[in-house]
Every structure is written in structure tokens, then in C-alpha cells.
Amino acid sequence: MQAIAVALLAALALAPLPVGAERSDRDKEIVVGADRLTADDANRTSTFEGNVVVTQGTMRITAARVTVKEDAQRHKLYVASGSPVTFRQKRDKVDEWVEGMAERAEFDDRNDVLRLYSQARVKSNQNEISGDFISYDMKREVAEVSGAPPGKVAPSDSRVKVIILPPKKAADEKSAPGIQLKPDAGKS
């Protein structure tokens, strides 16, 4: 499940933000809590249902349902759906958090592709990206945000929205250049 969080955070690369998940999270145990688990060994599928909470280090995902499907090479496809799927994780080396939501999130760890569907939103600090579909290919570093998933026609009122706040200026940069007063050299 850690791969989902990393991928969700990577979606923020759409905005000019220095984003990266807390690197030490990768070494932490993954804990999944749910009301039910159905593990189908023959089909290599595990389905967690009901108030699903996934944690790994600073990463936390909530969903109504999470399904993990493993192929013969042990690659996994994670599908989280819910009311909505939410996530939160600390950024690496800074005291900031990335959080977001969507009705459904899919992560393919073979291809390192994340897809967020339906009312997708990713936020860090005051910067935010939203659209009905957010996709991020981590290998190629290519992102797409649109009003509808591929193959679907976006409603006419569907829009992509990006909010980027300018960086805060340091205290000495705030004062505008102007008249500078100098002490009178003739007075003591």
C-alpha cells in the first residue's frame, strides 16, 4: 500500500512544488485495519472492506474498500474506493503535509502509474490541484489532469483547477527599495 501513497504524492508534481514523500516511511511496516478481509489465494487477490485504514510511517489512507491484485511476477495493482478515498503523508525533509482525496484511486506498481478518479484533489500547503481525473506516470514523469478519464467525454462545466501561492518573501526582501536614511556624519 505504501506505493499508493508515494504515487498520490507524486501527483503534486503537476504544480511547481518540491514534493516527495517521507523517505523513511518506505522502511516502516504497513498496517491495514478493516471490518473484513477476503483473501483469495487462487486468484492472488485480497479485498479489505469497511472503514479501511492503511498506515505506514507518516502515510495514512482511508477508504471504504481496498483491493490488491498480484500477478505472477508479484507486481500489484491497488484499487481503493470509498466515501471518498483520503490520504495524508509528511513531505520529506520539511515540516509540511500532502493530503488529498478522490472517489477512486488506482496504482499499478509494475508501471508506476497512479490514477485518481472522480473529484480528485491533491493539496500541499496552500497549493492545490483538482480535476475529475488525475494521472501520474512516475517513470516518465508525465502528469495529466482533465475533466474526465480517458475515453469519457468531459461535461461542459468540467474544469481543471490549479492553485499556486507565491513563495513567502524573507523579512529583508519585504521592504521596497526607496529612500534610505543615513546617519548625519557631522553630528556626534
Side-chain angles (χ1 to χ4, degrees):
M1 288 306 299
Q2 167 266 342
I4 290 178
V6 172
L8 291 172
L9 298 176
L12 275 176
L14 299 167
L17 302 171
V19 174
E22 183 75 31
R23 291 194 189 278
S24 65
D25 285 353
R26 291 178 182 242
D27 299 327
K28 307 269 172 61
E29 68 182 359
I30 298 171
V31 179
V32 181
D35 294 340
R36 284 174 300 293
L37 165 63
T38 303
D40 181 348
D41 289 339
N43 291 311
R44 295 182 169 176
T45 303
S46 296
T47 303
F48 299 88
E49 293 180 287
N51 303 305
V52 182
V53 178
V54 181
T55 59
Q56 184 180 30
T58 66
M59 182 272 298
R60 177 182 166 92
I61 297 173
T62 65
R65 178 182 175 122
V66 175
T67 301
V68 183
K69 174 82 172 157
E70 186 178 77
D71 67 17
Q73 291 78 38
R74 302 194 63 126
H75 295 285
K76 294 175 183 66
L77 174 65
Y78 301 88
V79 179
S81 58
S83 314
V85 174
T86 66
F87 59 90
R88 185 171 198 252
Q89 187 168 25
K90 187 179 179 303
R91 288 186 46 209
D92 197 33
K93 300 180 183 175
V94 292
D95 189 25
E96 293 178 8
W97 292 80
V98 176
E99 53 191 13
M101 63 187 335
E103 290 301 312
R104 190 170 90 239
E106 296 179 0
F107 181 70
D108 173 359
D109 77 357
R110 172 190 295 269
N111 299 310
D112 284 341
V113 174
L114 163 75
R115 292 181 181 93
L116 300 173
Y117 297 88
S118 299
Q119 301 173 9
R121 180 176 66 115
V122 181
K123 182 178 180 178
S124 177
N125 263 346
Q126 310 256 302
N127 301 313
E128 182 177 324
I129 298 168
S130 62
D132 204 51
F133 176 73
I134 299 174
S135 174
Y136 186 69
D137 182 325
M138 292 188 294
K139 287 182 183 175
R140 297 183 318 142
E141 297 182 353
V142 174
E144 175 187 352
V145 181
S146 65
K152 303 264 181 160
V153 177
S156 60
D157 62 345
S158 175
R159 304 278 294 163
V160 170
K161 183 177 180 181
V162 177
I163 299 170
I164 304 169
L165 292 182
K168 293 186 179 186
K169 295 181 180 181
D172 58 336
E173 293 179 38
K174 287 183 181 177
S175 59
I179 300 173
Q180 294 188 3
L181 301 176
K182 296 182 181 177
D184 189 347
K187 293 185 178 178
S188 39

